[in-house]
Amino acid sequence: MVGLADGASLSYDRLVLAPGIDLRFEALPGYNEAAAAKMPHAWTAGEQTALLRRQIESMEDGGLIALAVPANPSRCPPGPYERASLIAHYLRARKPRSKILILDAKDTFPLQRLFENAWNELYAGMIERVSLSQGGRVTSVDPATNTIVTDFGNYTAQVANIIPPQKAGRIAAIAGAADNTGWCPIDPVSFASKLLPAVHVIGDACFGGVIPKSASAANAQAKACAEAVASLISGKPQATPRLVGACYSVVAPDYAFSQSGVYQPRDGMFAESEAVTTSPLEATREVRAAEAVSAQSWYKSITVDAFG
Ligand SMILES: Cc1cc2nc3c(=O)[nH]c(=O)nc-3n(C[C@H](O)[C@H](O)[C@H](O)COP(=O)(O)OP(=O)(O)OC[C@H]3O[C@@H](n4cnc5c(N)ncnc54)[C@H](O)[C@@H]3O)c2cc1C
């Protein structure tokens, strides 16, 4: 039974849940919804992303923008580094004495060498990253002073973009589909919850192996899940899903690179079934510009595919 906000309820034979993420405010001392009004996470779109934009626009030239990046798993693993790049693009043109500091709870991140090469090429001296082993993990924040505390020191930033640890959207835990990691374990063939077999979980909320939490993956999972549910209802054998995901990272309007992978079930999890294809480390600006055009086309086509 699904309960609706207006008090109505619907019964189901099979239910597909795709609630996205919720932020784990409790995992970062000092951070909560009130703090996010001052130190935006901007990791769910709407007022938060608009707030971050306004803060960056009103910052004086010479200011420091800090980005706190959580450990995995989290929504869009390359996203924080793409965001840092695009902020740098704006700063270089409008506030060139400003700096970006990435405080990272990870030692490595996807497409790292491509990002670092692009930062040297386009934004030399503007972006500094402190990794986990250099003391980059943020342990608490103080919104009254815009202070960010890490294992090794305190930083005060004019703009603090705090992306906290995440978990599956709240309804997943209410339904009983999330385990003690906060995410929803699934069977990778049918997307059925390992905790509630008549409930299927797709998108960022599910956890089923190496497949990244991206819109590209969520879209592919939705199609495979619909097929699996149709097979289960009609009693036909289920096809083994083959999910194709492509992720573009745009570091300037005319400079992008990408990674695409194919994922299939192996030993109860999604695993890479073919070698991952990544943009070359060395490429001309024309190649990067062509990928930026492809990124825009990808965005247009997935938007039409998902929303009509
Ligand atoms: C800065 C940033 C950049 C990104 N860039 C890319 C990119 O370039 N490429 C890419 O592939 N992905 C990208 N992503 C990731 C992508 O946005 C997510 O992976 C994708 O949106 C996940 O889709 P979803 O359907 O699982 O969740 P969502 O898109 O969050 O959708 C879940 C929906 O469920 C609703 N919901 C939740 N609970 C309930 C409830 N109880 N009742 C009714 N509705 C409910 C929510 O309001 C929401 O609308 C990016 C993310 C960020 C933050």
Side-chain angles (χ1 to χ4, degrees):
M1 195 73 83
V2 176
L4 302 179
D6 66 2
S9 49
L10 300 167
S11 63
Y12 63 81
D13 297 310
R14 293 198 164 267
L15 173 70
V16 179
L17 276 181
I21 57 158
D22 250 22
L23 303 169
R24 288 179 52 213
F25 286 113
E26 76 290 352
L28 191 55
Y31 202 58
N32 53 31
E33 282 190 54
K38 192 146 184 255
M39 305 171 102
H41 53 78
W43 219 236
T44 49
E47 177 46 33
Q48 276 283 307
T49 36
L51 174 63
L52 179 61
R53 179 189 178 130
R54 285 197 301 277
Q55 289 188 347
I56 294 168
E57 282 174 343
S58 57
M59 186 184 81
E60 299 280 325
D61 187 11
L64 178 70
I65 300 178
L67 271 90
V69 182
N72 290 328
S74 63
R75 159 172 285 182
C76 196
Y81 315 97
E82 181 180 50
R83 173 176 284 174
S85 310
L86 292 176
I87 294 173
H89 174 74
Y90 166 81
L91 295 179
R92 197 190 51 176
R94 309 289 280 275
K95 296 166 189 177
R97 293 189 297 113
S98 309
K99 296 260 187 275
I100 297 169
L101 175 68
I102 301 173
L103 296 168
D104 205 332
K106 300 192 290 286
D107 270 328
T108 59
F109 62 90
L111 304 170
Q112 183 163 351
R113 288 188 59 200
L114 280 157
F115 272 108
E116 288 172 348
N117 287 354
W119 294 345
N120 284 334
E121 202 177 328
L122 304 177
Y123 312 121
M126 193 169 248
I127 301 176
E128 183 193 348
R129 173 174 172 264
V130 185
S131 68
L132 171 68
S133 49
Q134 294 165 325
R137 188 176 68 96
V138 173
T139 52
S140 67
V141 295
D142 180 1
T145 54
N146 253 15
T147 304
I148 304 171
V149 180
T150 69
D151 284 333
F152 284 81
N154 294 2
Y155 300 87
T156 305
Q158 280 62 54
V159 175
N161 174 201
I162 307 296
I163 307 168
Q166 296 142 39
K167 61 183 177 185
R170 205 166 77 89
I171 196 70
I174 293 170
D179 67 13
N180 59 9
T181 66
W183 303 102
C184 304
I186 51 147
D187 164 48
V189 175
S190 63
F191 297 87
S193 159
K194 288 191 173 164
L195 305 176
L196 301 171
V199 175
H200 301 249
V201 188
I202 58 172
D204 287 359
C206 76
F207 181 75
V210 298
I211 190 158
K213 295 188 184 300
S214 69
S216 180
N219 180 279
Q221 290 169 1
K223 291 168 181 161
C225 179
E227 252 187 87
V229 169
S231 301
L232 284 164
I233 288 173
S234 62
K236 290 189 188 141
Q238 285 177 56
T240 303
R242 183 176 182 278
L243 307 185
V244 180
C247 192
Y248 287 92
S249 293
V250 178
V251 295
D254 59 353
Y255 192 125
F257 38 80
S258 63
Q259 186 162 62
S260 46
V262 180
Y263 306 90
Q264 286 202 290
R266 195 190 306 147
D267 303 328
M269 294 284 224
F270 271 108
E272 277 149 1
S273 74
E274 291 160 30
V276 170
T277 311
T278 308
S279 302
L281 269 183
E282 302 293 334
T284 61
R285 290 298 291 271
E286 286 71 28
V287 170
R288 304 295 190 217
E291 286 232 68
V293 173
S294 302
Q296 293 299 329
S297 308
W298 170 84
Y299 178 70
K300 280 192 194 121
S301 58
I302 197 167
T303 307
V304 170
D305 192 39
F307 304 111

